[in-house]
């Protein structure tokens, strides 16, 4: 039995053990997957102990994705671009770091929601770690345009500059969205967690806009309520992204791609 875990602080509410155990069962893989708590500042000690104990891989959640980035000895391009790691693999004395958040988001949009990103006008709200983790895979899809709006404009500008080598990124404040509309609007701010929403001007949603909140919740977040009120064409929360990023991690570790739809539906029922 190979051992895996998700490490974070807090960690008690993580759905990752459920997701990975379902994947393992469906694909006949013999794994164990636990939750691992680490005190702030103790990431390295806790991971060292997990590896010494024979652990084969870790998922990393808040607030340790930068620590995991520094812990890795080998990095994929998308992890390097994100400067954040959510998947560690321990093999042959090496530590491989990857970031599956962006591909999880892209697959949820393109495959599950059947909404293309290529050729579309994409708007991302926020400029924190959640955005940094997904920009490179989104740019890989070749959107017609990619705009980052953030309350603190200088943070959006820094991200646009950092990712310029992967594609053109425009950085703006919320005021500058007045009079513009987009095909895909992704809320990657932390506002939904506080039952708030970003200060979006009216008119950014159209009847064919996909409104996507990276946070998942049982009801509509304020951002999705607003999108619904403005007749956005499609609404989605981040549950599909959560399951897709897990599936990509599972595939990295086990070499098999699990089905995601059933697990997402099960989680949806559990969370309802
Ligand atoms: P993370 O790394 O998890 O994304 P973060 O770095 O704290 O967390 O980023 C939170 C994001 O939510 C930021 O883009 C933040 O905007 P600022 O950079 O201007 O702080 C955004 N955010 C949080 N509360 C917000 C609010 N009430 N309105 C608009 N944006 C908000």
């Amino acid at each position: 039995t190979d051992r895996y875990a998700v490490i974070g602080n807090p960690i008690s509410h993580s759905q990752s053990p459920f997701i990975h155990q379902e994947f393992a069962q469906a694909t006949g893989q013999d794994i164990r997957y636990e939750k691992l708590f680490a005190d702030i500042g103790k990431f390295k000690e806790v991971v060292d102990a997990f590896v010494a104990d024979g652990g084969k891989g870790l998922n990393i959640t808040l607030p340790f994705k930068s620590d995991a980035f520094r812990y890795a000895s080998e990095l994929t391009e998308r992890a390097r671009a994100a400067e954040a790691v959510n998947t560690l693999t321990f093999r042959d004395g090496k530590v491989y770091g990857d970031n599956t958040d962006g591909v999880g988001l892209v697959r949820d949009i393109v495959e599950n929601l059947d909404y293309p990103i290529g050729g579309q006008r994409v708007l991302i709200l926020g400029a924190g770690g959640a955005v940094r983790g997904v920009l490179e895979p989104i740019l890989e899809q070749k959107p017609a345009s990619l705009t980052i709006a953030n309350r603190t404009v200088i943070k959006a500008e820094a991200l646009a500059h950092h990712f310029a080598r992967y594609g053109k990124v425009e950085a703006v404040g919320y005021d500058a969205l007045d009079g513009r509309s987009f095909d895909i609007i992704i809320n990657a701010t932390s506002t939904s967690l506080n039952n708030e929403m970003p200060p979006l001007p009216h008119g950014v949603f159209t009847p064919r806009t996909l409104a996507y909140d990276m946070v998942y919740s049982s009801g509509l977040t304020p951002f999705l309520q607003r999108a619904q009120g403005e007749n956005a064409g499609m609404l989605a929360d981040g549950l599909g992204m959560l399951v897709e990023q897990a599936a990509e991690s599972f595939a990295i570790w086990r070499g098999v791609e699990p089905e995601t739809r059933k697990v997402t539906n099960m989680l949806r029922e559990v969370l309802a």
Side-chain angles (χ1 to χ4, degrees):
T1 305
D2 290 337
R3 272 183 71 203
Y4 299 88
V6 56
I7 182 169
N9 181 341
I11 197 60
S12 58
H13 290 91
S14 174
Q15 300 292 341
S16 292
F18 172 80
I19 297 170
H20 282 275
Q21 277 149 19
E22 288 296 323
F23 287 164
Q25 203 165 28
T27 58
Q29 296 284 312
D30 182 22
I31 71 162
R32 201 164 95 216
Y33 190 109
E34 306 144 50
K35 292 174 188 170
L36 207 54
F37 176 87
D39 285 313
I40 306 300
K42 292 282 183 252
F43 178 84
K44 188 176 182 307
E45 283 90 331
V46 174
V47 177
D48 283 347
F50 181 78
V51 178
D53 243 27
K56 294 281 199 268
L58 283 174
N59 282 131
I60 297 87
T61 186
L62 295 180
F64 296 125
K65 291 183 188 185
S66 304
D67 298 81
F69 173 73
R70 288 190 292 272
Y71 193 91
S73 58
E74 326 286 321
L75 290 163
T76 58
E77 180 68 18
R78 61 196 183 193
R80 206 181 293 279
E83 294 178 348
V85 157
N86 80 334
T87 306
L88 286 171
T89 308
F90 312 109
R91 198 193 303 129
D92 310 326
K94 286 193 171 153
V95 180
Y96 297 88
D98 201 346
N99 192 317
T100 66
D101 286 329
V103 77
L105 173 67
V106 166
R107 276 195 199 140
D108 193 36
I109 293 175
V110 174
E111 294 173 19
N112 299 338
L113 301 172
D114 203 18
Y115 200 101
I117 294 175
Q120 307 296 310
R121 299 165 301 166
V122 178
L123 170 64
I124 301 189
L125 311 175
V131 176
R132 182 174 276 270
V134 301
L135 282 180
E136 192 272 336
I138 288 177
L139 284 165
E140 235 176 63
Q141 297 290 306
K142 304 257 178 275
S145 62
L146 179 56
T147 304
I148 305 177
N150 199 46
R151 189 172 56 180
T152 314
V153 182
I154 194 168
K155 281 173 68 184
E157 285 168 348
L159 276 186
H161 181 73
H162 179 80
F163 283 88
R165 52 189 292 232
Y166 301 103
K168 195 167 183 304
V169 184
E170 176 195 25
V172 298
Y174 286 100
D175 292 349
L177 299 174
D178 201 11
R180 299 179 62 182
S181 66
F182 297 86
D183 305 310
I184 301 176
I185 303 181
I186 300 165
N187 182 20
T189 67
S190 53
T191 54
S192 302
L193 302 170
N194 308 317
N195 214 30
E196 298 171 347
M197 63 162 287
L200 277 176
H202 289 275
V204 291
F205 300 98
T206 80
R208 55 176 306 275
T209 300
L210 164 64
Y212 193 105
D213 201 320
M214 278 171 57
V215 165
Y216 59 88
S217 72
S218 50
L220 289 182
T221 63
F223 165 77
L224 291 177
Q225 284 173 29
R226 169 72 177 281
Q228 185 180 50
E230 294 206 26
N231 296 316
M234 202 186 297
L235 310 176
D237 74 2
L239 192 66
M241 173 182 175
L242 173 74
V243 176
E244 292 297 338
Q245 62 79 27
E248 179 73 0
S249 295
F250 190 88
I252 289 167
W253 292 329
R254 309 303 301 181
V256 280
E257 291 216 11
E259 290 281 337
T260 53
R261 186 87 56 174
K262 199 183 115 212
V263 178
T264 306
N265 290 341
M266 285 166 72
L267 266 180
R268 183 67 72 196
E269 277 181 34
V270 171
L271 294 171

